[in-house]
Amino acid sequence: MTLRLTREQLYELVWSEAMSRICKAIGISDVAIAKHCRKADIPIPERGCWSKLHAGQKVTRTPLPPRDLATINVIERGGALPPELKARITGEPGIEGEPESVDVLTARFRKRLGKVSLSHDLTRADPAIAKLLSRDETIRQKMASSSFHWEKPLFESSYERRRLRILNSIFLAFARVGGLYPRSGGT
């Protein structure tokens, strides 16, 4: 059975009881719930939160940040929501409320992303860019030691270096907002 929750519903659930109890009731691990929360930008209670609450100490609930274009809104996972947990969430599980306009979501994303500026050099390179630069350096070393080397470095010209700097800036900005991109084995 597939469990569908909106990010607001998962937020309500995570802040209603200790994650270990919720996990047992749903039938998934606490690591899986925490991973879904990270993906959907849902803050989770800090360790010891429920112990503090039972001891009578005050615990502040971290508010749910507004959603933007990069934030998923529906979480799907195997498992079932028992009636006692279903009573803790508002609305029907997995049914979204009124959709927000794309312009509002775009504005929030732009604010979170900030300014993306072109790097002047590649000293702070994204891992994918660093891999390309390392490959070129290996080719250069092989060319220096042998006169019969067919392969040439790809990023020798200033034009190609500029392309790498642009890609590097995009990749670093994307990583800054929590984005991941597929990294293939080849180049």
Side-chain angles (χ1 to χ4, degrees):
M1 176 175 238
T2 301
L3 172 65
R4 280 178 52 95
L5 294 171
T6 64
R7 80 188 272 270
E8 289 81 11
Q9 291 168 339
L10 183 57
Y11 172 78
E12 290 171 7
L13 203 57
V14 164
W15 283 91
S16 69
E17 191 175 352
M19 227 183 300
S20 58
R21 290 188 187 138
I22 293 170
C23 296
K24 286 179 186 173
I26 294 175
I28 60 175
S29 73
D30 57 339
V31 173
I33 287 184
K35 183 178 176 182
H36 286 295
C37 287
R38 273 192 308 277
K39 276 183 172 177
D41 196 23
I42 300 170
I44 57 175
E46 61 186 36
R47 289 189 185 271
C49 167
W50 302 106
S51 300
K52 288 179 185 176
L53 202 60
H54 291 299
Q57 294 179 8
K58 186 180 177 186
V59 175
T60 28
R61 186 175 180 166
T62 308
L64 182 66
R67 188 170 89 86
D68 60 28
L69 283 176
T71 311
I72 61 170
N73 198 35
V74 176
I75 295 94
E76 291 189 20
R77 178 73 179 149
L81 196 62
E84 66 270 7
L85 291 181
K86 193 175 182 179
R88 294 182 189 169
I89 62 173
T90 56
E92 193 61 32
I95 306 297
E96 298 181 55
E98 188 67 30
E100 292 183 276
S101 97
V102 173
D103 295 333
V104 170
L105 295 174
T106 303
R108 285 185 197 148
F109 182 73
R110 282 189 177 140
K111 183 178 179 185
R112 186 169 72 142
L113 181 62
K115 184 179 179 183
V116 179
S117 56
L118 181 63
S119 53
H120 296 291
D121 56 19
L122 294 165
T123 54
R124 196 176 129 242
D126 178 82
I129 303 297
K131 185 176 176 182
L132 292 173
L133 292 170
S134 172
R135 184 172 179 270
D136 264 10
E137 186 56 36
T138 304
I139 292 169
R140 268 189 224 95
Q141 289 174 0
K142 286 179 183 177
M143 285 175 63
S145 65
S146 170
S147 59
F148 299 107
H149 196 271
W150 300 98
E151 206 171 11
K152 304 276 186 232
L154 296 174
F155 305 102
E156 283 291 301
S157 71
S158 60
Y159 175 76
E160 293 298 332
R161 297 292 282 194
R162 185 169 196 280
R163 285 176 56 184
L164 265 189
R165 289 193 340 261
I166 291 169
L167 276 177
N168 188 54
S169 299
I170 291 169
F171 287 178
L172 291 175
F174 199 52
R176 190 173 62 228
V177 294
L180 299 172
Y181 53 90
R183 297 180 193 260
S184 63
T187 52

